[in-house]
């Protein structure tokens, strides 16, 4: 009888523990690390998607900002987090492609320390100038740059903008000078005021100035016309075959996160991104909705590394 009582107690303990161990994901709040300052484009889009994930998955998804070192601080925090699906990273082309070539050392490995979930969105850059400028296309700009190499200077408010100019110089055989800026606000002011000839920036930062006629767009850096800037002609269609530079956001989890968790996040996010109102809102925020499988994001990031490693090395670029 005593043995039977012990066995019964043991079985009862298993029955009480098993439901807790088998709780469906997510069973508590989930934080999404954005490795940049609040209010920046990636932050705003992530907060919007977090609201939809909360509604879809029945638990709170909330954003924490961990800015610094070009995104490396926030990304390294996620790389070290428990691989349980409760700490996510909204990675970017900076954290998962460019930084490893720009920084002398990295606190994480963008391939080995993360599991990809989905490419969430992307956005091209745009070449901008004053309405009165003597060029109306990229070929006009390149001709001017070659005829008067010291006459042009380009405002560069981001690392991605720097890469656009380097790729243009390398493919166009020019030596256009770039001037680093801390952000879009001052670069736009200087471009409108004539202190610089050209600026390279995101569509979201420049769209209102283009619409009001204060600036004109010479070309966007997507291979095809972008829904973000109707009428904007791709640089690739202006004699620069294959020219493409995209900034992008991709959702990642720490390496070792269960595949069921990765797949559930991918499935739910795909449903969210398929909603017309979500797609429209992301476009308004300056993001073209993306999608695909975890393997698609892994392959895309790998192709980006193969592309940008040589460009950065040839230009000798280093993080500020």
């Amino acid at each position: 009888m005593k043995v039977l009582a012990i066995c019964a107690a043991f079985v009862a303990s298993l029955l009480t523990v098993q439901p807790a161990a088998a709780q469906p994901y997510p069973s508590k709040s989930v934080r999404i690390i954005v490795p940049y300052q609040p209010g920046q484009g990636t932050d705003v889009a992530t907060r919007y998607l977090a609201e939809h994930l909360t509604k879809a998955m029945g638990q709170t998804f909330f954003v924490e900002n961990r800015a610094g070192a070009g995104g490396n601080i926030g990304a390294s925090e996620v790389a070290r987090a428990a691989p349980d699906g409760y700490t996510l990273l909204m990675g970017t082309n900076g954290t998962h492609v460019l930084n490893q070539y720009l920084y002398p050392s990295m606190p994480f490995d963008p391939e080995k320390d993360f599991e990809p979930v989905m490419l969430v969105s992307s956005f091209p850059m745009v070449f901008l100038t004053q309405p009165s400028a003597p060029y109306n296309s990229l070929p006009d700009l390149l001709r001017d740059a070659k005829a008067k190499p010291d006459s042009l200077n380009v405002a560069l408010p981001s690392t991605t903008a720097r890469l656009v100019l380097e790729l243009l110089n390398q493919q166009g055989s020019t030596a256009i000078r770039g001037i680093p800026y801390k952000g879009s606000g001052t670069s736009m002011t200087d471009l409108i005021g004539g202190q610089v000839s050209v600026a390279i920036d995101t569509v979201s930062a420049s769209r209102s100035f283009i619409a009001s006629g204060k600036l004109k767009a010479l070309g966007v850096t997507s291979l095809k016309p972008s829904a973000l800037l109707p009428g904007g002609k791709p640089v690739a269609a202006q004699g620069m075959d294959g020219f493409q530079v995209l900034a992008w956001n991709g959702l990642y989890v720490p390496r070792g996160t269960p595949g069921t968790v990765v797949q559930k996040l991918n499935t739910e996010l795909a449903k969210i991104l398929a909603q017309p109102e979500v797609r429209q809102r992301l476009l308004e925020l300056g993001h073209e909705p993306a999608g695909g499988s975890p393997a698609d994001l892994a392959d895309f990031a790998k192709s980006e590394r193969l592309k940008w490693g040589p460009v950065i090395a040839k230009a000798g670029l280093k993080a500020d």
Side-chain angles (χ1 to χ4, degrees):
M1 292 295 291
K2 190 172 184 180
V3 172
L4 289 175
I6 293 173
C7 289
F10 178 69
V11 171
S13 68
L14 288 179
L15 291 175
T16 57
V17 172
Q18 190 174 8
Q23 289 183 56
Y25 173 85
S27 60
K28 61 180 181 179
S29 296
V30 180
R31 65 173 181 155
I32 308 175
I33 298 294
V34 170
Y36 304 102
Q37 295 286 349
Q40 187 257 11
T42 296
D43 175 68
V44 174
T46 303
R47 290 178 184 275
Y48 175 69
L49 292 174
E51 294 175 6
H52 284 271
L53 285 167
T54 296
K55 294 175 184 177
M57 301 185 76
Q59 293 289 344
T60 300
F61 282 69
F62 64 96
V63 170
E64 286 189 10
N65 299 90
R66 293 287 186 269
N72 285 347
I73 290 176
S76 63
E77 181 172 335
V78 178
R80 297 190 302 267
D84 55 10
Y86 292 96
T87 302
L88 318 180
L89 172 71
M90 189 58 79
T92 67
N93 55 309
T95 60
H96 279 72
V97 176
L98 307 179
N99 287 359
Q100 62 184 301
Y101 306 112
L102 295 170
Y103 286 82
S105 63
M106 290 283 286
F108 61 89
D109 186 307
E111 287 186 272
K112 296 179 180 179
D113 291 341
F114 297 92
E115 303 275 3
V117 176
M118 178 183 283
L119 180 64
V120 175
S121 65
S122 66
F123 46 98
M125 308 295 281
V126 59
F127 286 86
L128 303 153
T129 191
Q130 304 97 331
S132 60
Y135 25 83
N136 297 298
S137 66
L138 251 295
D140 291 345
L141 178 66
L142 292 174
R143 281 195 297 270
D144 214 31
K146 291 176 181 178
K148 299 176 287 183
D150 295 328
S151 65
L152 291 177
N153 43 59
V154 179
L156 306 175
S158 68
T159 299
T160 305
R162 290 171 66 187
L163 294 178
V164 172
L165 182 60
E166 288 302 332
L167 190 63
L168 182 74
N169 279 333
Q170 291 180 24
Q171 290 193 11
S173 300
T174 53
I176 302 172
R177 293 178 301 177
I179 301 176
Y181 277 76
K182 292 294 184 182
S184 299
T186 51
S187 67
M188 290 294 168
T189 298
D190 282 1
L191 177 60
I192 293 171
Q195 279 73 45
V196 292
S197 311
V198 177
I200 300 170
D201 212 328
T202 62
V203 174
S204 59
S206 57
R207 193 161 38 191
S208 63
F209 297 108
I210 297 170
S212 65
K214 293 182 179 179
L215 295 175
K216 64 181 176 182
L218 301 178
V220 293
T221 63
S222 51
L223 285 178
K224 298 178 180 180
S226 172
L228 294 171
L229 190 66
K233 194 172 182 180
V235 175
Q238 300 185 58
M240 302 286 286
D241 292 346
F243 192 100
Q244 182 184 42
V245 183
L246 297 176
W248 52 266
N249 296 322
L251 190 65
Y252 289 87
V253 293
R255 178 67 67 183
T257 300
T260 53
V261 171
V262 172
Q263 192 54 55
K264 187 164 188 179
L265 286 167
N266 180 277
T267 298
E268 293 300 330
L269 197 51
K271 292 177 184 177
I272 292 168
L273 291 176
Q275 298 174 27
E277 64 273 21
V278 172
R279 300 182 69 84
Q280 180 58 39
R281 181 55 181 154
L282 286 175
L283 287 172
E284 291 170 359
L285 293 173
H287 296 254
E288 289 198 50
S293 68
D296 291 334
L297 174 53
D299 291 343
F300 175 67
K302 182 177 180 180
S303 69
E304 287 277 277
R305 285 189 284 269
L306 291 173
K307 173 180 180 176
W308 289 112
V311 172
I312 293 171
K314 183 175 181 179
L317 295 180
K318 300 295 180 185
D320 295 331

